[in-house]
Amino acid sequence: MTTSHSFSSPSFHPFCTCWPGATVWLTGLPSAGKTTIARALAARLRGDGRRVEVLDGDENRAVLTADLGFSREDRYTNVQRVGLLAEVLARNGIVALVPVIAPYADSREAVRKRHESSGTAYLEVHVATPLEVCAARDVKGLYAKQAAGELSGLTGVDDPYEAPADPDLRIAAHEQGVEESARAVLRLLQAEELA
């Protein structure tokens, strides 16, 4: 007996599996525009039939790393957990977009090495919005809370942010729009033959 499968279900989407997966880590200060750029890029890639996941830092903190605080050690562990998830997705053909601050260079390097050891593509994008612009945007009110003495350990203010010395791409997101920034990341993926 032969079973026939119908792919006409409205929930079925014929994603392209002809491209390898990749992790694109978008690092930068709070309110730099990382998540906004990642979501715009995800929409573009999905429109092209790519399988994409956005591993948002706040969503990860709410579930995957809810047990962690903001000490240097906990921040390192946070990045390693998210990095493992991204690497697993990427090596299975999904583009994992990771808009996570990851303030310390050693934690980002450990994630890069994990990807290298499995032969999985990893690209680091520095969303290089200056501190004063991020503070003016203050999307989540963090800078205001820090200034009022209600919050300490804010990355880039009273906790370190180690900007990447040699990222695969540096975006001046304060000088261009979201779509232009997303296109810049897409061009990087295309240049690396990942899109």
Side-chain angles (χ1 to χ4, degrees):
M1 177 177 181
T2 305
T3 305
S4 133
H5 296 282
S6 169
F7 295 108
S8 60
S9 163
S11 63
F12 175 77
H13 189 284
F15 287 108
C16 171
T17 57
C18 51
W19 295 99
T23 292
V24 180
W25 198 290
L26 296 97
T27 178
L29 295 171
S31 296
K34 303 177 298 296
T35 301
T36 305
I37 293 167
R39 292 196 188 289
L41 177 58
R44 174 74 180 265
L45 290 168
R46 286 187 186 112
D48 292 340
R50 294 299 306 274
R51 298 168 64 202
V52 182
E53 289 294 336
V54 177
L55 303 180
D56 177 68
D58 291 334
E59 292 173 5
N60 295 325
R61 280 279 185 183
V63 180
L64 182 65
T65 61
D67 59 316
L68 300 175
F70 292 90
S71 67
R72 185 179 181 104
E73 296 76 19
D74 280 0
R75 288 178 192 259
Y76 185 93
T77 301
N78 175 60
V79 170
Q80 297 318 299
R81 288 185 192 174
V82 176
L84 172 62
L85 177 57
E87 188 268 332
V88 169
L89 290 170
R91 73 176 137 96
N92 283 282
I94 295 168
V95 178
L97 304 177
V98 188
V100 171
I101 295 170
Y104 303 116
D106 62 343
S107 66
R108 296 191 306 265
E109 184 58 25
V111 172
R112 181 184 292 276
K113 286 182 178 173
R114 172 183 295 282
H115 282 71
E116 287 173 357
S117 70
S118 70
T120 305
Y122 176 87
L123 299 170
E124 184 176 73
V125 175
H126 179 207
V127 182
T129 308
L131 178 61
E132 58 273 14
V133 176
C134 294
R137 289 178 179 170
D138 204 8
V139 176
K140 299 169 195 165
L142 299 176
Y143 293 96
K145 286 181 182 176
Q146 193 277 335
E150 300 169 11
L151 175 73
S152 63
L154 180 59
T155 300
V157 178
D158 57 356
D159 206 65
Y161 176 71
E162 299 170 357
D166 188 28
D168 297 289
L169 176 66
R170 196 178 312 274
I171 296 175
H174 58 296
E175 296 176 351
Q176 61 190 35
V178 172
E179 291 302 325
E180 188 178 351
S181 296
R183 280 195 301 272
V185 183
L186 178 60
R187 285 194 297 272
L188 173 64
L189 284 165
Q190 290 169 337
E192 297 293 326
E193 299 184 343
L194 297 166

